[in-house]
Amino acid sequence: MSSEPLKVAVQTIQKTRNATRGALLWGYEQRLLREVRAHGHLPRHLGLILDGNRRFARASGLQREMGHSIGADKAHEVLQWCLELGIPAATIWVLSTDNKSRDPAELAHILGLLEKEARSLATDPRIHANRV
């Protein structure tokens, strides 16, 4: 699949997910936020291991690249939660050396996503406004 149809498919999934999330999960997220804040202690650092994107794609009938793209989108969501909750630091593990034997096209896609996301984060006003 070329990158343009993949990009359109990711955007469509993101829009659908956002609409569904808005309709179905808003109440759950609000309850979860109240519970997290009620305990008084939040971590100062969150470690996030991006794992299972290929399994998710396979189980959902999607191409593996789509699973990685959706995983990147989910990482954005988690980082936004960190900002909202006031968690000042996050470390994201994207790729293990165990994965270096994967198909070169899959690795190229993952590394391309990593580069794109790093460039995007470098200019994201939320990063600078929150002194991340």
Side-chain angles (χ1 to χ4, degrees):
M1 178 179 270
S2 70
S3 68
E4 190 58 33
L6 180 61
K7 186 177 182 180
V8 171
V10 168
Q11 290 172 345
T12 300
I13 288 173
Q14 289 171 340
K15 287 178 185 176
T16 302
R17 188 213 60 189
N18 288 341
T20 302
R21 179 175 163 246
L24 298 175
L25 299 179
W26 183 83
Y28 170 75
E29 288 178 352
Q30 294 302 306
R31 182 173 58 95
L32 183 60
L33 179 60
R34 281 193 307 274
E35 289 178 16
V36 166
R37 287 191 171 147
H39 288 87
H41 299 291
L42 291 173
R44 306 274 307 141
H45 182 236
L46 177 81
L48 180 62
I49 300 172
L50 302 185
D51 187 36
N53 295 320
R54 278 195 317 177
R55 286 187 300 276
F56 167 77
R58 192 177 314 122
S60 302
L62 301 170
Q63 291 183 334
R64 65 182 179 210
E65 289 82 2
M66 184 65 69
H68 293 304
S69 296
I70 292 170
D73 186 51
K74 182 54 73 174
H76 273 280
E77 189 175 345
V78 172
L79 292 174
Q80 180 61 39
W81 293 343
C82 288
L83 286 175
E84 292 171 8
L85 291 169
I87 298 171
T91 300
I92 303 175
W93 285 270
V94 177
L95 191 63
S96 161
T97 56
D98 293 344
N99 300 133
K100 66 184 178 186
S101 63
R102 287 190 179 184
D103 176 43
E106 181 180 11
L107 286 174
H109 179 74
I110 293 169
L111 294 174
L113 279 173
L114 179 59
E115 179 182 4
K116 177 181 155 261
E117 297 304 328
R119 289 183 189 280
S120 176
L121 286 173
T123 59
D124 189 323
R126 296 172 300 174
I127 298 297
H128 301 288
N130 290 285
R131 301 179 65 180
V132 174

